[in-house]
Amino acid sequence: MSYISEVLEMTEKKNAGQPEFTQAVREVFNTLSQVIEANEEKYKQNALLERLVEPDRQIMFRVPWTDDKGVPHVNRGFRVQFNNAIGPYKGGLRFHPSVNLSIIKFLGFEQIFKNSLTGLPIGGGKGGADFDPKGKSDAEVFRFCQSFMTELYRHIGADVDVPAGDIGVGGREIGFLYGTYKKITKLYEGVLTGKGLTYGGSLIRTPATGYGIVYLGEAMLNDHGKSFKGQRVTITGSGNVAIYCAQKATELGAKVITMSDSNGWILDENGIDVEAVRVLKEEKRARISEYCDTHKGAKYFETKSMDELRVWGVPTDIAIPCATQNDINVQHAKELVKNGCRCVIEGANMPSYNEAVEIFLSTKGLLFAPAKAANAGGVGTSALEMSQNSMRLSWTAEEVDSKLHAMMNNIYHNMAAAAKKYGHTDNFAMGANIAGFEKVAEAMIAQGIQ
Ligand code: NDP
């Protein structure tokens, strides 16, 4: 049995009941097979793969809080510090009822390679809680965040572990978490990113992930004689990532025709009015269905199950899933290809099942950008926020945007070069994993069996 198969089998056995985590490990290892086989002896001697799949530590804790009626609730909090071979742990916090150890581990594992790919010195981690901020008052969210940070503060620090936002954790939650950290520790340090502009946040951090997705997509399209201009674009999600991705794609001349939330999706053949979606979601915290109250040409469809075709049944040139994991299954992928889609850019983390990725990779002329590369602009800009906090500086929006743009171009060229080097030109899923993995592997070996 090969080294990869041995470690995959061991990982699946040891982590039975963690399907998202083992799915992520399988995807990464399968694309690394050439690199691992070429270095098998060295990696085996250093137990490299065994160490890669085992987090440095996994912290789980009780988060008790009281609602506005005085009723107590208890949620479960997580922080998985996966790997700090190349820098302090870095990765977001997710507040969503579906959160469990498997989901946090898959996200933390992916984060190791994504962070390495940015070229910045940051390790991989992820955290969150099975708490749903939807429908809660600001006071309830505040009490939850205060309780969550009352435990988390022991484990993080500007040079140790620097969390950020993710699903359900935006500017409001980061503010409450940061305030609590500061109150407990007395430290005014860059321990969280995604902070408000008045207290150490970076300009452009809010739209960074969405803008970065489009910058990377444009670099990939341009390299193949194409661009966003005049293209029909279908997007899922209507949160932080989806909104700013839609905004930048529209700015580059594309027509974004779909967006969604967990209740349903909208189709606007005239091109979605992205500012209206932003106001609905960021300011009113409303449902996407309300878009149709003010935009009469648009249609709303309720989502009963993620297995339905939904957005993926709409003919499109470019598909950008920006909601959550496992959004695109085999049937969705086939339908996209059948309807003429020739570019898929993953905005969310692991939005496609591995079998769906296989379909994209085997479709001639279809460009596929994996999440690890495409959505790395968020964490990359977070690392820029860390630098500004350490230097007590604040760069202008133009400076940060141009650094983000350069970072995304660089990521594209690095993953393209890695794919080419191993004889798989344009297989960016493989290129991104190889480019991210090589640096981490080297650093882990250099630091000994820890
Ligand atoms: P938000 O919470 O801002 O938005 C998430 C969007 O996806 C919402 O429209 C939400 O709908 C929808 N959604 C979430 N879960 C489901 C579900 N189970 N079924 C259907 N729709 C769902 O999160 P972000 O935009 O920040 O994150 C989106 C994705 O991007 C995630 O995969 C995240 O890990 C990834 N990402 C985020 C980064 C960031 O900087 N924020 C950085 C890199 C990756 P509803 O409001 O109804 O729940």
Side-chain angles (χ1 to χ4, degrees):
M1 195 188 281
S2 73
Y3 181 37
I4 293 186
S5 307
E6 252 175 56
V7 178
L8 273 177
E9 195 174 285
M10 179 272 292
T11 306
E12 273 164 4
K13 216 161 153 188
K14 263 193 173 176
N15 300 282
Q18 296 186 2
E20 293 86 359
F21 173 56
T22 50
Q23 178 183 340
V25 174
R26 185 167 283 283
E27 187 272 331
V28 169
F29 281 9
N30 284 341
T31 58
L32 291 176
S33 59
Q34 266 178 277
V35 185
I36 294 173
E37 278 157 21
N39 295 281
E40 188 156 321
E41 240 353 85
K42 181 167 72 169
Y43 289 172
K44 255 184 156 169
Q45 271 171 12
N46 284 279
L48 184 80
L49 300 186
E50 294 88 328
R51 289 193 290 136
L52 253 183
V53 297
E54 197 60 44
D56 288 355
R57 64 196 63 78
Q58 315 176 40
I59 302 143
M60 287 170 65
F61 50 97
R62 180 175 66 235
V63 190
W65 59 283
T66 328
D67 68 22
D68 289 344
K69 295 192 179 100
V71 179
H73 299 267
V74 178
N75 285 94
R76 180 172 287 176
F78 301 84
R79 186 71 187 166
V80 172
Q81 297 178 330
F82 225 112
N83 187 303
N84 66 354
I86 64 166
Y89 308 106
K90 178 103 198 79
L93 297 171
R94 176 176 291 191
F95 291 170
H96 192 271
S98 63
V99 162
N100 58 34
L101 189 58
S102 173
I103 288 178
I104 298 298
K105 280 175 69 179
F106 114 65
L107 289 163
F109 183 72
E110 290 276 307
Q111 196 84 43
I112 304 169
F113 309 104
K114 180 191 308 187
N115 291 0
S116 165
L117 204 52
T118 63
L120 297 164
I122 37 180
K126 198 84 188 187
D130 58 353
F131 169 75
D132 190 357
K134 270 202 294 291
K136 306 284 189 302
S137 69
D138 287 353
E140 288 172 329
V141 172
F142 173 71
R143 287 195 291 277
F144 177 82
C145 288
Q146 202 171 38
S147 178
F148 184 83
M149 186 53 89
T150 302
E151 175 59 34
L152 187 70
Y153 87 94
R154 299 172 216 284
H155 311 288
I156 60 176
D159 294 315
V160 180
D161 183 356
V162 183
D166 190 78
I167 291 178
V169 178
R172 173 182 61 172
E173 291 75 15
I174 292 289
F176 294 159
L177 292 163
Y178 187 66
T180 309
Y181 178 85
K182 198 165 56 65
K183 175 149 186 157
I184 299 173
T185 62
K186 296 188 286 181
L187 294 168
Y188 202 102
E189 58 171 12
V191 69
L192 289 164
T193 55
K195 299 188 289 300
L197 295 177
T198 50
Y199 61 97
S202 171
L203 286 156
I204 310 286
R205 174 57 188 96
T206 303
T209 307
Y211 285 7
I213 290 164
V214 177
Y215 290 153
L216 183 124
E218 186 74 349
M220 176 175 77
L221 288 162
N222 288 171
D223 203 22
H224 294 80
K226 302 176 183 179
S227 80
F228 267 98
K229 199 168 169 51
Q231 301 294 292
R232 280 164 68 89
V233 176
T234 44
I235 289 180
T236 48
S238 53
N240 172 266
V241 175
I243 289 170
Y244 294 98
C245 174
Q247 192 189 82
K248 188 55 80 178
T250 307
E251 220 175 283
L252 294 192
K255 196 205 273 188
V256 175
I257 51 173
T258 67
M259 290 182 84
S260 71
D261 63 21
S262 51
N263 295 106
W265 57 282
I266 53 168
L267 172 66
D268 189 343
E269 289 283 358
N270 297 319
I272 285 181
D273 173 354
V274 183
E275 179 56 16
V277 174
R278 191 197 65 75
V279 170
L280 266 183
K281 287 292 173 181
E282 281 185 3
E283 295 176 16
K284 300 189 179 157
R285 298 191 189 276
R287 306 314 296 158
I288 195 89
S289 57
E290 290 179 35
Y291 178 87
C292 298
D293 299 344
T294 46
H295 295 75
K296 294 298 174 199
K299 291 184 193 141
Y300 174 71
F301 306 87
E302 202 181 307
T303 298
K304 292 189 189 75
S305 145
M306 291 286 272
D307 289 338
E308 292 170 3
L309 264 180
R310 301 171 286 122
V311 168
W312 311 126
V314 178
T316 190
D317 300 306
I318 302 176
I320 318 185
C322 293
T324 191
Q325 66 274 359
N326 292 335
D327 185 349
I328 301 183
N329 64 22
V330 168
Q331 191 210 352
H332 302 144
K334 284 185 180 159
E335 192 70 15
L336 278 165
V337 171
K338 191 183 93 191
N339 285 333
C341 172
R342 285 299 172 266
C343 177
V344 177
I345 308 169
E346 293 190 324
N349 283 311
M350 204 168 75
S352 326
Y353 283 96
N354 293 349
E355 297 76 10
V357 173
E358 290 304 322
I359 291 173
F360 296 141
L361 293 177
S362 60
T363 301
K364 204 164 180 292
L366 188 150
L367 296 169
F368 173 76
K372 215 171 264 113
N375 69 28
V379 72
T381 308
S382 276
L384 299 179
E385 183 174 331
M386 288 163 72
S387 303
Q388 294 175 78
N389 292 162
S390 300
M391 296 190 285
R392 304 274 191 269
L393 273 181
S394 134
W395 293 321
T396 64
E398 291 71 27
E399 279 174 299
V400 181
D401 193 39
S402 92
K403 285 179 202 293
L404 169 65
H405 207 149
M407 192 187 308
M408 300 316 293
N409 282 338
N410 208 24
I411 291 175
Y412 171 69
H413 290 294
N414 285 346
M415 73 180 182
K420 197 167 173 194
K421 180 176 155 194
Y422 284 90
H424 293 270
T425 301
D426 287 353
N427 182 337
F428 303 121
M430 179 182 279
N433 282 338
I434 293 174
F437 167 81
E438 282 183 326
K439 188 162 79 170
V440 175
E442 207 173 296
M444 285 176 72
I445 291 171
Q447 292 168 30
I449 300 184
Q450 313 274 5

